Amino acid sequence: YGNEHEHDEL
Amino acid sequence: MNIFRLAGDIAHLLAVIILLLKIWKSRSCAGISGRSQLLFAIVYTTRYLDLLTNFVSIYNSVMKVVFIAASYATLYLMYMKFKATYDHNHDTFRIEFLLIPVTALALLVNHEFSVLEILWTFSIYLESVAILPQLFMVSKTGEAESITSHYLFALGSYRALYLLNWIYRYYFEGFFDPIAVVAGVVQTVLYCDFFYLYITKVLKGKKLSLPA
């Protein structure tokens, strides 16, 4: 699992 | 940031600009689903609430503000300024059939049971189906203006390009967000029929019309 909570995408 | 992600964001930006310009220049929102636009405003509002809590980059913040502002501007043009041109007789998709299941799914399948996280998840699920009232409207009237087709193509391309971005990020960054990926696949699949018609008709200079 990566950094899914960062939500760096739009 | 990779080339697919950037191209996806540009396609997304282009889509909202095409839509606003189409309505503004023609002084009409004929053929555009106000229900889809309402869903998109809900999508951006619920997803970008983290503007207030989480700073990623100037690029990220500016784009979020632009998408929120553009979606409300579109709603203003459709439901206020050019209300008389809104084709509500053909815009009859029942959005509660999308909102209720999407809300339930966001409550059940999320990364973390917190308000912001559930709203983010809700927005991802809702975005994947938010275009359905618009596609329903096109199928009901059996045609779409070329400019509306260009809007739909740009909007559909955005998530398709994000899929390539996620493949890239999986291999090169070890990044994988199953919620975004599954919803992104659903969203892109919904456009496939339209993509086919766009490539076979609109790009050859014909109007997008569906067989009766």
Side-chain angles (χ1 to χ4, degrees), chain B residues 196-212:
Chain B
Y196 175 77
L197 290 170
Y198 185 82
I199 291 164
T200 56
K201 293 199 169 180
V202 182
L203 289 185
K204 289 180 180 159
K206 291 186 234 161
K207 191 174 175 161
L208 188 118
S209 59
L210 303 176

Side-chain angles (χ1 to χ4, degrees), chain B:
Chain B
M1 178 69 82
N2 56 64
I3 188 70
F4 305 113
R5 160 84 200 278
L6 183 65
D9 287 348
I10 290 170
H12 194 186
L13 195 60
L14 204 60
V16 299
I17 291 170
I18 288 172
L19 182 61
L20 276 172
L21 279 180
K22 172 215 142 43
I23 298 174
W24 187 255
K25 294 268 182 191
S26 67
R27 322 296 284 174
S28 162
C29 55
I32 301 298
S33 165
R35 295 183 183 216
S36 276
Q37 294 310 314
L38 176 65
L39 294 179
F40 283 122
I42 297 172
V43 164
Y44 300 131
T45 309
T46 50
R47 185 169 320 160
Y48 300 154
L49 279 175
D50 69 351
L51 262 175
L52 308 170
T53 60
N54 183 33
F55 178 78
V56 177
S57 64
I58 300 274
Y59 170 84
N60 191 279
S61 298
V62 169
M63 292 292 258
K64 285 174 173 171
V65 171
V66 168
F67 285 128
I68 293 174
S71 70
Y72 283 97
T74 306
L75 284 185
Y76 166 73
L77 293 181
M78 291 197 72
Y79 287 100
M80 314 266 281
K81 196 164 175 65
F82 303 124
K83 190 174 194 261
T85 65
Y86 171 39
D87 190 8
H88 59 83
N89 289 332
H90 288 120
D91 192 16
T92 52
F93 193 96
R94 300 277 296 273
I95 57 172
E96 56 273 36
F97 291 156
L98 301 177
L99 286 168
I100 294 168
V102 156
T103 305
L105 195 61
L107 289 168
L108 290 169
V109 184
N110 51 57
H111 289 304
E112 184 192 312
F113 204 82
S114 67
V115 175
L116 273 185
E117 195 60 31
I118 287 171
L119 286 173
W120 178 86
T121 312
F122 166 83
S123 85
I124 292 287
Y125 294 151
L126 184 60
E127 184 189 340
S128 71
V129 293
I131 201 62
L132 284 176
Q134 179 65 60
L135 295 175
F136 180 70
M137 195 171 176
V138 171
S139 72
K140 215 174 169 196
T141 57
E143 58 177 35
E145 284 177 60
S146 292
I147 189 76
T148 307
S149 306
H150 300 325
Y151 160 70
L152 281 169
F153 184 75
L155 194 62
S157 307
Y158 135 69
R159 224 47 175 174
L161 288 160
Y162 259 68
L163 293 182
L164 300 178
N165 157 57
W166 290 323
I167 293 169
Y168 178 95
R169 291 191 70 180
Y170 178 77
Y171 283 107
F172 295 101
E173 298 169 21
F175 173 92
F176 177 58
D177 184 334
I179 288 178
V181 171
V182 172
V185 169
V186 170
Q187 186 167 339
T188 305
V189 166
L190 292 181
Y191 284 87
C192 282
D193 192 35
F194 168 78
F195 284 152
Y196 175 77
L197 290 170
Y198 185 82
I199 291 164
T200 56
K201 293 199 169 180
V202 182
L203 289 185
K204 289 180 180 159
K206 291 186 234 161
K207 191 174 175 161
L208 188 118
S209 59
L210 303 176

